[in-house]
Amino acid sequence: MKTVDEKRKATLIGVIAVVLWALLALFTTELASIPPFQLVSLCFAVASIFSALWITLRGGSVVHALRQPLGAWVLGVGGLFGYHFFYFVALANAPAVEASLIAYLWPLLIVLFSALLPGERLKWQHLVGAALGLFGAVLLVSRGKSLSFDPAFTLGYGAAVICSLLWSGYSVLNRRYRNVPVGAVCGFCAGASLLGFVTHGLLETWVMPDAIQWLAILGLGLGPVGAAFFVWDHGTKHGDIQILGVAAYGAPLLSTCLLIAFGKALATSAIIVGCILIVGGAVLASANFLSGKRGRSLSAE
């Protein structure tokens, strides 16, 4: 049996990933000159190296952490690398705003797909909260401007759809491997890094980062492209997957607030309304979670 408090704690751990992902835009403003797959490979390499050190320093065995079922490896590496691969393909073949919005359907899809999991129930609060979050994200990403989906960019739009399906599918299917320890993400990051280097070698030319860029890469590898995936792994396996899906819309909210705070964006009326919609949606979807109205124990899924 699993208590509500244990599930709540796991959910809050998963939400840490959303906070870390909010730092992506701020860090990447310093890395515009670095090719995307080079950046992905370097960040995942940092994540795998430091997570291996973390496992070792805690007295664990990296080899033991990596001895996991083939399905877990396919899901982990495929989810981490596949999401980034199709995201960058989408950005390269479609306008950035429209591609980003399509790719950012994954929180809503997580809420919808979660209904297929054993022991999960989809309530109206989850659906309405996720919809409000989506509308808020649209306002934040588009800055309140009109959107235009040109059929000429079908390839990019299609890649963005695959991107959203991959990450939402990974997040929900991860529950199947709840017995796989979070340390296994160390290997998934290493696999994603290797695939990133291969893709970089095939499609890009190496650009040597300067000192500031190396620090930004280190920061990304430790946080948004590192620790974030470890806490998300724990949250999706043991927490409230529907709450996590809605909470994920907090990433563009926090990211926008950080950009405004550091003078890299302006606080417009569209941004303010978008923030209100996201916060309102999250509060609505998590009302029972926050009030603790559910029973004191939950059977393990």
Side-chain angles (χ1 to χ4, degrees):
M1 301 291 286
K2 179 174 56 176
T3 67
V4 169
D5 288 339
E6 289 172 335
K7 192 166 188 176
R8 180 179 287 110
K9 180 180 178 181
T11 305
L12 293 175
I13 290 174
V15 170
I16 294 173
V18 177
V19 177
L20 291 173
W21 287 330
L23 297 171
L24 268 172
L26 195 60
F27 274 110
T28 52
T29 55
E30 301 292 338
L31 298 165
S33 64
I34 307 299
F37 288 110
Q38 177 186 336
L39 182 59
V40 166
S41 60
L42 289 173
C43 290
F44 276 123
V46 170
S48 60
I49 291 170
F50 277 89
S51 59
L53 290 173
W54 177 75
I55 292 172
T56 303
L57 291 174
R58 289 174 60 89
S61 169
V62 175
V63 174
H64 177 72
L66 301 184
R67 287 176 179 169
Q68 304 303 330
L70 177 61
W73 276 93
V74 172
L75 182 66
V77 176
L80 295 183
F81 178 73
Y83 170 82
H84 290 88
F85 178 85
F86 283 101
Y87 181 70
F88 290 130
V89 169
L91 291 183
N93 293 279
V97 171
E98 285 80 1
S100 297
L101 286 175
I102 295 173
Y104 222 83
L105 287 172
W106 64 262
L108 178 59
L109 292 177
I110 285 178
V111 175
L112 296 176
F113 291 162
S114 67
L116 302 175
L117 291 172
E120 296 289 351
R121 288 189 302 164
L122 192 58
K123 298 180 179 179
W124 70 268
Q125 298 100 313
H126 299 133
L127 291 173
V128 176
L132 289 174
L134 176 60
F135 292 143
V138 169
L139 287 175
L140 291 185
V141 175
S142 67
R143 298 293 191 264
K145 298 178 181 178
S146 61
L147 301 174
S148 176
F149 294 94
D150 189 335
F153 301 114
T154 299
L155 174 60
Y157 297 151
V161 170
I162 295 174
C163 172
S164 64
L165 288 171
L166 277 174
W167 192 250
S168 57
Y170 161 77
S171 300
V172 174
L173 289 173
N174 204 31
R175 186 67 63 91
R176 286 191 58 188
Y177 297 99
R178 62 186 314 134
N179 293 325
V180 173
V182 69
V185 178
C186 169
F188 303 157
C189 288
S193 176
L194 178 60
L195 290 176
F197 274 118
V198 171
T199 308
H200 165 68
L202 293 174
L203 303 176
E204 301 171 339
T205 300
W206 176 269
V207 174
M208 180 59 68
D210 59 28
I212 298 297
Q213 290 175 327
W214 276 119
L215 288 175
I217 290 169
L218 181 63
L220 282 172
L222 290 175
V225 193
F229 295 113
F230 288 82
V231 292
W232 186 253
D233 179 82
H234 182 79
T236 54
K237 285 176 178 173
H238 307 289
D240 190 317
I241 188 72
Q242 291 146 345
I243 300 301
L244 288 174
V246 176
Y249 282 117
L253 185 156
L254 294 173
S255 178
T256 301
C257 291
L258 285 172
L259 291 174
I260 292 173
F262 282 86
K264 297 181 183 295
L266 297 176
T268 64
S269 58
I271 288 178
I272 294 172
V273 173
C275 291
I276 293 173
L277 286 173
I278 290 175
V279 173
V283 171
L284 175 63
S286 58
N288 289 342
F289 174 84
L290 295 173
S291 63
K293 287 183 178 179
R294 289 202 249 177
R296 297 307 301 170
S297 67
L298 298 166
S299 58
E301 290 87 348

